[in-house]
Amino acid sequence: MTRYIQRHSKLARVTHGVAAIACIVLALTGVAVFVPAVSQALGGSFTYAMRMVHRIAAIPFILIPLFALLRSPKGAKHLFAQNIFGKWDKDDFEFARKFVPYLFTPQTTHMPPQHEVKGAQRLADGGLVIMGILMALSGLVMWLEAGILPGSKGIAMPMSLVWAAHILHDIGFFVIIVFGLGHIYLGGGLFGPYKGTLNLMWGDGKVSESDAAYHWGYWANTKLGTGDGVTEKK
């Protein structure tokens, strides 16, 4: 029998899945809409279609996380207070210091035990969440200014606000692309020691006792000690 620990709830997995898929669609359509060279090469009709898809994809990207926030405010508070802005200890700093060597020589680089979320992971997750919020807010400003529906009249806004929204949208795009690729590489299990982690968000959300001890030693010991979320399977 192998023991497993429930790491992510169904609400967290669904929210992550919808946001991730919507984010990929938004990134692809955003390039087609906001990069002049690309939009000119694709032509007006296709660019218009991409603009509409971009707006449609923005709806679940914004609404599903809002639903999750309202459905589980305690979970949202835990995400920000503990997982993103939680206080770092010496093991967190050591993990961050060794992270780059670990990517190249995981067999010989010994990493310290970690809590529920690794120190360096907090930076990446925090960047994705914060930039996602900024992208949603700045996108709404541009959407309202242009008009909610095709052909509808937009809301008059100060040009400085619209300009700032465009700048924030561009910055958020580049940050999400960089952090998102790293997130896919590690979270998708493409990096050897993280093999199997795809199941945490795209499967049943459970992690084996051995994997939990390797990646999040302090968190695993706490869960195994209390039995909270621990199950056994053959």
Side-chain angles (χ1 to χ4, degrees):
M1 299 289 287
T2 301
R3 290 195 293 181
Y4 288 83
I5 306 173
Q6 189 71 46
R7 183 159 174 83
H8 297 301
S9 67
K10 180 181 290 187
L11 177 63
R13 301 196 307 273
V14 170
T15 302
H16 174 273
V18 172
I21 294 172
C23 189
I24 292 172
V25 174
L26 287 167
L28 295 175
T29 55
V31 170
V33 171
F34 295 109
V35 179
V38 177
S39 61
Q40 291 172 10
L42 294 175
S45 297
F46 189 80
T47 300
Y48 176 80
M50 290 297 97
R51 189 184 302 276
M52 293 302 103
V53 173
H54 193 80
R55 293 182 178 185
I56 293 171
I59 296 173
F61 182 77
I62 295 172
L63 293 184
I64 296 302
L66 280 178
F67 169 78
L69 171 65
L70 296 174
R71 181 71 176 79
S72 179
K74 289 183 178 180
K77 180 181 179 181
H78 181 78
L79 170 68
F80 285 96
Q82 300 296 325
N83 293 355
I84 294 179
F85 297 111
K87 185 178 179 180
W88 285 37
D89 60 18
K90 61 180 182 62
D91 289 321
D92 291 320
F93 285 105
E94 183 182 356
F95 185 94
R97 181 176 60 84
K98 291 183 174 181
F99 183 68
V100 173
Y102 176 63
L103 287 177
F104 294 98
T105 57
Q107 298 84 1
T108 58
T109 304
H110 177 69
M111 302 299 274
Q114 292 288 278
H115 298 280
E116 182 177 358
V117 178
K118 300 171 183 178
Q121 184 184 349
R122 293 178 199 168
L123 293 176
D125 289 353
L128 287 171
V129 170
I130 292 171
M131 285 299 108
I133 294 173
L134 288 178
M135 290 285 279
L137 294 175
S138 59
L140 282 174
V141 169
M142 292 187 288
W143 194 354
L144 291 172
E145 192 267 341
I148 294 294
L149 298 174
S152 63
K153 187 177 180 180
I155 300 174
M157 296 184 180
M159 288 308 299
S160 58
L161 177 61
V162 178
W163 177 82
H166 277 276
I167 295 298
L168 286 175
H169 219 65
D170 289 342
I171 293 173
F173 173 80
F174 287 109
V175 172
I176 286 178
I177 290 298
V178 172
F179 282 11
L181 289 175
H183 186 73
I184 292 172
Y185 178 62
L186 296 175
L190 302 177
F191 176 55
Y194 283 70
K195 184 178 180 181
T197 53
L198 183 67
N199 188 60
L200 296 181
M201 276 300 186
W202 299 95
D204 60 7
K206 296 180 180 180
V207 59
S208 67
E209 178 182 355
S210 59
D211 284 343
Y214 175 80
H215 290 291
W216 309 281
Y218 292 129
W219 173 80
N221 288 338
T222 300
K223 288 292 185 179
L224 292 169
T226 61
D228 180 28
V230 179
T231 58
E232 291 186 348
K233 292 193 300 184
K234 291 185 179 181

